[in-house]
Amino acid sequence: MIEILTTYSIHLFSIVLLLVIFILSRIKRDTGTFSMSLFYAILFINILLLVLEPLSFLADYVGVVAIHYLNYSLDFLIFLLSTMIVGLWASYIDYKIFKKQKRIYKRLFYQHITILAFILLIINFFTPILFNVDIQTNVYQRGYLFSIRYILIFLVYIHILFMAFKYKSIQNNRIIRGVLLFLLFPIIGSIIQMFYNELYYQFTGLALGVLVVFVFLETTSGNKDYLTNLYTRRVLDEYLDNLVVNMLSFTIIMIDLDHFKDINDKYGHQKGDEVLIEFSGLLF
């Protein structure tokens, strides 16, 4: 048992990390949001993958027929869930950018690659194009189309990057940084594991990605307004209090946007938000 825990200690550490993130998010959140629902789905599928992967490796070379079917089922689920979680990541980032649930529903939560993966897995029952588990020796072997999973996943990653840069004018820069850092870990992990299957970095890389996104996109300090990226009233009060306590001189400028309500009434609140974002950028 100790030997197994030592071998897959990186999986165990990643699972503990994800559970800690979940507990912290539950403690810090008062109400549930659509983005958090997506985030939790990603988190728990990641945990499931971290559990299934070691089980599939442990089942290899066990020459028992029952274990053979268990092993095949595990590999089936891993293949399917690894595409599903990437689609959920795309849904999460899309929602963070556009804030529209209907847009996510319309795009089927970006599960097109999961549907394609499921079709390929059904074909794989009859012709091992993705992978095969020998019924006698229970040895796992990759099929000639096994790498298509990585190709599909990388295409979704590229799409996420494209969205993040194309629509960066309507979102907080923190999202861009979070997305870029998130993509770094799973991409590197997937590439490494694609060539070296004994190195378990694909789903552990995803766990690091969850941590980065949690820090950048879900943990808010309250120091800055989400829309304008300007400091909040609380920060202003603390800053002024510090100046007063230290008897430092300062100047205050009061600015008012005239007829701003007319912009909202005539062009809609989306345009009003864009005006606020543009105006806040002029203040820097």
Side-chain angles (χ1 to χ4, degrees), residues 86-125:
V86 175
L88 289 173
W89 271 121
S91 302
Y92 176 83
I93 298 302
D94 188 296
Y95 183 75
K96 280 294 184 181
I97 295 173
F98 298 102
K99 300 293 183 183
K100 294 180 180 179
Q101 290 189 37
K102 290 184 178 180
R103 177 182 167 89
I104 306 301
Y105 292 131
K106 185 177 180 180
R107 284 160 175 74
L108 300 176
F109 289 82
Y110 288 89
Q111 294 303 314
H112 307 86
I113 61 169
T114 306
I115 296 171
L116 178 57
F118 182 76
I119 294 172
L120 292 174
L121 285 166
I122 296 301
I123 297 173
N124 195 71
F125 278 128

Side-chain angles (χ1 to χ4, degrees), residues 223-247:
N223 288 341
K224 288 190 176 183
D225 176 68
Y226 179 81
L227 180 66
T228 63
N229 205 32
L230 296 176
Y231 288 108
T232 62
R233 174 64 181 270
R234 182 178 65 82
V235 177
L236 174 64
D237 290 343
E238 290 182 4
Y239 181 71
L240 292 177
D241 183 64
N242 180 66
L243 293 176
V244 172
V245 170
N246 290 283
M247 294 184 290

Side-chain angles (χ1 to χ4, degrees), residues 93 160-161 164 174-184:
I93 298 302
I160 296 173
L161 277 174
R174 184 176 57 180
I175 293 180
I176 293 290
R177 296 194 296 269
V179 170
L180 291 176
L181 284 174
F182 140 68
L183 286 172
L184 180 64

Side-chain angles (χ1 to χ4, degrees), residues 1 4-5 7-9 11-12 15 46-62 64 66-78 81 133 138-140 193 197 200 203:
M1 183 64 180
I4 294 174
L5 292 176
T7 303
Y8 301 106
S9 58
H11 287 77
L12 182 61
I15 291 171
N46 200 162
I47 291 176
L48 185 58
L49 285 167
L50 287 166
V51 172
L52 294 178
E53 187 176 51
L55 290 177
S56 69
F57 289 139
L58 291 172
D60 288 343
Y61 301 100
V62 179
V64 179
I67 298 296
H68 163 77
Y69 291 111
L70 174 62
N71 196 8
Y72 189 95
S73 300
L74 291 172
D75 292 323
F76 183 100
L77 285 173
I78 291 171
L81 291 175
V133 180
N138 213 22
V139 175
Y140 173 89
Q193 193 160 341
N197 194 46
Y200 318 126
F203 305 130

Side-chain angles (χ1 to χ4, degrees), residues 200-216:
Y200 318 126
Y201 294 154
Q202 182 180 1
F203 305 130
T204 53
L206 276 172
L208 287 174
V210 171
L211 172 63
V212 170
V213 170
F214 177 71
V215 171
F216 275 83

Side-chain angles (χ1 to χ4, degrees), residues 120-228:
L120 292 174
L121 285 166
I122 296 301
I123 297 173
N124 195 71
F125 278 128
F126 308 98
T127 304
I129 56 175
L130 302 175
F131 64 86
N132 182 48
V133 180
D134 187 88
I135 196 168
Q136 299 296 330
T137 62
N138 213 22
V139 175
Y140 173 89
Q141 294 177 328
R142 292 181 175 184
Y144 62 91
L145 288 182
F146 179 83
S147 60
I148 194 172
R149 175 178 66 166
Y150 296 99
I151 294 173
L152 292 173
I153 289 173
F154 292 152
L155 286 175
V156 177
Y157 284 154
I158 292 171
H159 177 71
I160 296 173
L161 277 174
F162 175 76
M163 279 198 306
F165 280 105
K166 182 178 180 180
Y167 300 103
K168 62 182 178 180
S169 60
I170 64 173
Q171 59 179 301
N172 193 312
N173 286 334
R174 184 176 57 180
I175 293 180
I176 293 290
R177 296 194 296 269
V179 170
L180 291 176
L181 284 174
F182 140 68
L183 286 172
L184 180 64
F185 297 116
I187 285 178
I188 293 176
S190 297
I191 292 174
I192 292 174
Q193 193 160 341
M194 182 168 57
F195 294 102
Y196 302 99
N197 194 46
E198 67 277 7
L199 298 177
Y200 318 126
Y201 294 154
Q202 182 180 1
F203 305 130
T204 53
L206 276 172
L208 287 174
V210 171
L211 172 63
V212 170
V213 170
F214 177 71
V215 171
F216 275 83
L217 304 185
E218 293 300 335
T219 303
T220 56
S221 64
N223 288 341
K224 288 190 176 183
D225 176 68
Y226 179 81
L227 180 66
T228 63

Side-chain angles (χ1 to χ4, degrees), residues 13-22 43 46-47 50 207 210:
F13 175 80
S14 299
I15 291 171
V16 172
L17 174 67
L18 292 174
L19 289 175
V20 169
I21 291 173
F22 173 72
L43 188 149
N46 200 162
I47 291 176
L50 287 166
V210 171

